[in-house]
Amino acid sequence: MTWEDKQSGPPKYGMLVPVGGGDPIPLLKDRLLIGRRDSCDIALRFPNVSGQHCRMTVEQGYWFVKDLGSRNGTKVDGKSIVRKRLDPRCRIAFAKHEYRLEYEPQDLGAFGPPPADDEHIEELMRNSLVDRAGIGRRSAADPSKNRNLADD
């Protein structure tokens, strides 16, 4: 008997389907704590999953995931993330345990284009404030790239 047989259709918020086989995990609320602890909404009892690994929330009809400083990280489609929008059928990995996220944004209230992803902010934040301002260290190897700040 599958989850859908026990309920009247698929879970409203979708499901996590283990890549490589296994029972799907129904998403029963619009805000979920995922980790190894029994107190988590979704308890993944693997030693390499942190006690409180990440949080998933529905925003404007789309799932978003935020890593909570887990030791082994959270990846979306193979890329490490801090916070990211989860598009339908994307792959999400908690430590090394990979799942495919199945849901329909329209069922969760989405309309129009998807909400902005935080990926560009994450990329920007990887650089120092000095580099983002364009006043990084001067290059001794290539002085032609140095800007004379007094000319600005």
Side-chain angles (χ1 to χ4, degrees):
M1 183 177 279
T2 67
W3 171 260
E4 291 181 21
D5 294 334
K6 295 175 190 173
Q7 303 294 315
S8 57
K12 175 182 178 184
Y13 295 104
M15 59 179 57
L16 291 171
V17 179
V19 173
D23 292 333
I25 301 169
L27 306 177
L28 301 176
K29 303 187 307 187
D30 62 355
R31 186 173 166 89
L32 298 166
L33 180 61
I34 299 169
R36 195 179 61 245
R37 294 184 184 158
D38 288 334
S39 60
C40 292
D41 298 307
I42 296 176
L44 299 175
R45 292 179 183 90
F46 301 108
N48 59 345
V49 172
S50 295
Q52 292 187 340
H53 199 90
C54 65
R55 178 171 304 283
M56 288 177 56
T57 55
V58 174
E59 300 173 23
Q60 300 175 34
Y62 282 80
W63 279 105
F64 279 76
V65 64
K66 180 178 186 206
D67 187 85
L68 298 176
S70 64
R71 179 177 298 245
N72 293 310
T74 304
K75 291 183 177 181
V76 175
D77 293 328
K79 295 172 87 177
S80 293
I81 59 93
V82 173
R83 185 176 188 279
K84 174 122 178 70
R85 185 184 69 230
L86 300 171
D87 293 324
R89 289 164 287 292
C90 72
R91 289 182 177 226
I92 181 169
F94 313 104
K96 300 267 183 201
H97 307 280
E98 192 173 26
Y99 298 83
R100 189 179 68 251
L101 178 60
E102 294 289 342
Y103 77 103
E104 292 298 328
Q106 297 81 3
D107 295 346
L108 304 181
F111 59 93
D117 198 351
D118 294 345
E119 201 169 54
H120 66 283
I121 295 171
E122 187 177 320
E123 186 67 35
L124 182 67
M125 296 306 286
R126 287 185 184 143
N127 298 324
S128 73
L129 184 58
V130 171
D131 289 340
R132 285 183 270 160
I135 54 175
R137 293 184 183 246
R138 298 172 71 76
S139 172
D142 190 358
S144 66
K145 291 186 178 178
N146 294 335
R147 217 170 83 198
N148 186 346
L149 297 178
D151 292 341
D152 288 347

